[in-house]
Structures are given as C-alpha cells and as structure tokens.
Amino acid sequence: MKARIRASVASLAFLALAAFHACNVQYEWRGTDALFVACPALAALACHSRWLGAHVAVRAVAWLHVVLAGFVAIIAGRAEAAGVTLLGALALAALGREAHESRASAAGFEPVAYRGAFLAATTATIAVAMIQGLFAVAMLQSTIDRAEGVVSLVIASGLITSALLVLRMRAAGVVLGVVVAAVAIAGACFEARSGREIAGAVQAVLWTSAAIPALALAAPIAWSRLRPVRAVAASAPSRLPWSSVLAMAIALHACASALTRASF
C-alpha cells in the first residue's frame, strides 16, 4: 500500500512536469516539444511498472529535470526552472532508494558486488541517451546537421541497449558501452577539428559527455580487478537516501537562486 502511494505521488509529479512542458510550447509543435512532453508523461505511467528497466528510466527522467533545470535556475535565476527542479526532486524522493533496491532484487539483478554503482551507471547512461536522442531529433529536423543527428541517434540507441543488457547481467552490455564510448570520443575529436567554431565545439562536448556514463558501466568491473571482491552477497542498500538528499539540495539551491534574483 505504501509503495503504491509513493508511486502515485511520483506519477503526479511527472504529470505536472508534462503539463508544464506542454504549456510552454509556442506556436506549433515540433519533434523536440513532443519529446519534452512525452518523457515525463511516460514516466508517470512507468512508475507503476514492475520492470526494472522502466524503473531505472523513470529515475533517469527525474534526474534530468533536477540537474538541467537546477543548473538553469542557479545560473539564470529562473523561477519556472526552480519549480521544475522541485518537481523532479519530489519524484525522486517519492520513488525512494529502498524501492529501487528491492525492485532490482526482485528482477534478479544480484551482481557479486557494486550493485549500487551499476544501478547508478545505468541510470546515468539512460539519462544521457535521452539527451542524445533529443539533440538527434532536433538535428534531423534541420537541413544542415542531419549527419550529426544520425550519429547522435546511433549513440543514443547504443547507450540504451548497453544499459538494458547490463540490467540483465549480460557482459555484452559492458562491451557495447565501451564501443559506444569509443565511437563518441572519435566523433568528438572529428567535430573538434571540423572547423566549425561554435557548433563543432558544442557537438564535441555533447558526444564526449556521452562517453562518460558508457565507460562508467565498466568501472565497477575494472575496480574489482584492481581490488578483488571477497564478499559473495550483493551490496546492501545504503541507509542514507543520498540520491533524494542530493536532489533536494539542488532544488533548494535553485529556489534560493531564483528568489535572490527576483528580489533585485
């Protein structure tokens, strides 16, 4: 009963985010506008799903709103961005870490160790894949950057596939993540030398950021090679809900920045 209430609260927060994005659409709907509305709307439905992949994707959507909107609110002092950050933090707090861990156990995701690190890496991977997909849709709609849009779409698809394979405890997911990271870094190096001062630099940063979570999928395995794990059981869940605490801290900082900017 308690789990259903928490999932319902998270669903309401995501529906509020979807409504906010829909109200901000100006003139005509574009592909990126549809994605902004569809992601939190689908997350509201996925909150009640028993599939671990859906639960990880829901947390990725919440973290995207917390981090990106929080950054805008802190830097620019935008009140609406602070509100989005609060809704994302509320969704994360409602989802809870205990439910995340129990859902992973029920799905059979029981690595020898570093289960929390794998879950965090898969969440970050799906979040970055969503950003790549958003930029891919935006570039495919243009007449100039369609090749970059195709590459971004391939990177996004590879990131999602690698994360889902890792959640199914398949070593191919880690290997695919390393391959996607290599492709992203190679594309970033090419864009950095393409001669386009602003667009090339932005695309290089975007693809380089895609390589970080992909490599993070292999980090627990590399660390276990350097420091062999003796425990046979999976890592126990943390008593401190650090993810909710961090999200709330970002949201409060964003609100404080917005209020400070509004007072001047």
Side-chain angles (χ1 to χ4, degrees), residues 50-259:
R50 296 183 178 180
W51 181 39
L52 178 60
H55 194 65
V56 171
V58 166
R59 295 180 68 89
V61 173
W63 271 114
L64 277 179
H65 284 86
V66 170
V67 174
L68 298 182
F71 177 79
V72 173
I74 292 172
I75 298 299
R78 301 286 296 273
E80 59 272 21
V84 170
T85 309
L86 273 177
L87 287 173
L90 176 62
L92 280 174
L95 291 171
R97 182 174 175 82
E98 293 181 0
H100 194 41
E101 295 280 354
S102 61
R103 188 102 24 126
S105 299
F109 186 69
E110 295 284 353
V112 174
Y114 307 118
R115 183 173 66 177
F118 278 116
L119 289 175
T122 52
T123 303
T125 300
I126 293 179
V128 172
M130 292 178 183
I131 297 176
Q132 294 289 327
L134 180 65
F135 276 92
V137 171
M139 287 184 288
L140 288 174
Q141 289 179 339
S142 67
T143 58
I144 301 176
D145 299 326
R146 289 185 175 178
E148 287 81 358
V150 172
V151 175
S152 294
L153 189 61
V154 170
I155 292 175
S157 302
L159 289 175
I160 293 178
T161 304
S162 62
L164 294 179
L165 286 173
V166 169
L167 290 176
R168 293 179 61 87
M169 297 187 66
R170 299 290 189 269
V174 177
V175 176
L176 179 60
V178 174
V179 172
V180 171
V183 172
I185 293 174
C189 293
F190 176 80
E191 282 293 328
R193 298 185 177 183
S194 63
R196 301 189 302 169
E197 295 182 359
I198 299 177
V202 171
Q203 194 64 57
V205 172
L206 180 65
W207 285 345
T208 303
S209 65
I212 297 175
L215 294 176
L217 292 173
I221 297 178
W223 180 253
S224 64
R225 296 295 182 182
L226 298 175
R227 185 181 179 184
V229 180
R230 297 180 181 179
V232 180
S235 55
S238 174
R239 294 182 180 179
L240 178 65
W242 61 269
S243 58
S244 299
V245 172
L246 179 60
M248 284 297 179
I250 295 175
L252 291 176
H253 190 185
C255 291
S257 299
L259 290 174

